[in-house]
Amino acid sequence: MPKKRFLSIDEKRSWLAAIFRDTSGEYSQADKFKAMIEDTRLAVLAEEAAKPEPQPNTLPGIPRELLEHLPPPLKSS
């Protein structure tokens, strides 16, 4: 089985957490801040990926049952 080419979001977040929690002095405060920012960005990406896709032909806040009672759109000529 070939090796995975890229890291998963969880693997990246673990690596960034290790940088952020470093106590040995290997990483500067700026590095830790950048790791925190990048981790937050990855968390948002993971959250957005977990959201279900919106159903087509629906408007936000209007239930699909109500939209089914509307007449079909008029054709422009």
Side-chain angles (χ1 to χ4, degrees):
M1 177 181 230
K3 287 188 175 183
K4 294 189 302 184
R5 187 170 174 195
F6 301 106
L7 297 172
S8 69
I9 289 178
D10 289 335
E11 291 169 327
K12 290 177 186 177
R13 291 191 71 200
S14 295
W15 178 70
L16 291 168
I19 292 172
F20 185 72
R21 293 187 178 114
D22 174 61
T23 56
S24 68
E26 182 178 352
Y27 298 102
S28 68
Q29 290 297 324
D31 292 334
K32 292 179 181 184
F33 182 74
K34 290 175 190 176
M36 182 182 64
I37 297 293
E38 188 63 22
D39 180 60
T40 303
R41 188 182 71 80
L42 288 172
V44 169
L45 282 176
E47 186 177 308
E48 288 176 357
K51 287 183 183 176
E53 289 291 321
Q55 294 203 4
N57 300 326
T58 60
L59 298 174
I62 300 177
R64 186 175 189 89
E65 298 80 34
L66 289 178
L67 291 175
E68 290 172 354
H69 295 289
L70 295 175
L74 299 174
K75 294 185 179 183
S76 58
S77 30

